[in-house]
Amino acid sequence: MKETVKAAILGGTGVYSIEGIKTVKQTVDTDYGSVEVMQGTGKWNDLYFISRHGTDHAVPPHMVNYRANIAALKKLEVEKVLAIYAVGSITELVPPGGFGLVSQFIDATQGRINTFYNGGDSGLKHTPMDEPYCRDMGNKIVSAAKKRGFPIAESGTYICTNGPRFETPAEIKMYRIWGADYVGMTGATETALAREAGLHIAAISYSINWAAGVEKDLAFLSDEEIRNTKNVLTDIALDVLFDEPGRCRCTN
Ligand code: HPA
């Protein structure tokens, strides 16, 4: 990869920093608001990190300023984004503690601002979503995970609910029929905006619970288990983000 290519990690629940990398904090002002962005130092100078819920998990999923986050990455000239999502497992594809690449999403949110193109001065654009995630980055994530002996589902469908409440068992039953494997509350909004902005985006789900009604109780992984998972994800991310680029269909 060219040295000038910049990459970012968008982290959520349990992923509030880049493990093992010293960062400096900066505030990036955008047309949609200001964003706190961490930037790697030294040889990681081209790596950025945004904690989408804030560093103290204070911003609920329906209140995240998704447009500002993506606009900040664009302003920093980031080209590749790896999004990491804590999810609930709907199918057995990825049980709690496991990883899965996201290859498709279903947007079940309501009332969120999920576009940069609102007509008028901002214009109108219908961004293709037939391949929402970067195929090249996805392939590399799978190889990197396998190299480390971490099983990862090579594809999976993420359904994005509005939150902040969890789902009812009836909703999860319906989402399973719709074809969803994982459920989270942020992925669809973020991906749609990233693609509108012309970013390459790949996403990894890491499951922290069975979704409502799949098992008797909604039991979550412990903080320590989530932390360990987070470290593995960071390793994988660093392997992938600065590799030579291959073929993908992300340009729009
Ligand atoms: N539902 C929605 N979002 C989630 C869940 C869930 O069960 N687990 C982690 N994020």
Side-chain angles (χ1 to χ4, degrees), residues 2 4 12 52 93 99 107 155 175 193 198 214 217 228 236 250:
K2 292 187 281 141
T4 50
R52 68 174 75 82
L93 179 72
F99 302 87
D107 189 352
S155 63
Y175 296 153
L193 288 163
V214 177
D217 299 314
N228 292 341
I236 293 171
C250 295

Side-chain angles (χ1 to χ4, degrees), residues 6-11 26-30 32-39 46-52 65-83 116 190 193-194 197-201:
K6 297 179 179 182
I9 297 174
L10 276 166
Q26 58 179 291
T27 303
V28 179
D29 296 321
T30 76
Y32 310 96
S34 303
V35 181
E36 256 185 27
V37 182
M38 310 299 288
Q39 181 177 8
D46 288 332
L47 180 66
Y48 296 90
F49 176 78
I50 292 177
S51 176
R52 68 174 75 82
N65 192 343
Y66 295 97
R67 284 199 303 186
N69 287 351
I70 298 297
L73 296 183
K74 277 303 271 187
K75 193 170 175 182
L76 293 165
E77 301 181 329
V78 164
E79 292 177 33
K80 292 172 114 186
V81 176
L82 177 67
F116 289 110
E190 196 164 85
L193 288 163
L199 295 170
H200 298 264
I201 180 167

Side-chain angles (χ1 to χ4, degrees), residues 13 61 85-89 158-159 161 163-167 172 182-186 206-212 218 220:
T13 306
Y85 300 114
V87 297
S89 300
Y158 173 115
I159 187 155
T161 57
R165 69 166 176 84
F166 285 117
E167 303 71 37
I172 293 297
Y182 336 107
V183 57
M185 300 178 187
T186 53
Y206 76 101
S207 173
I208 62 170
N209 60 285
W210 287 111
L218 202 63
F220 291 85

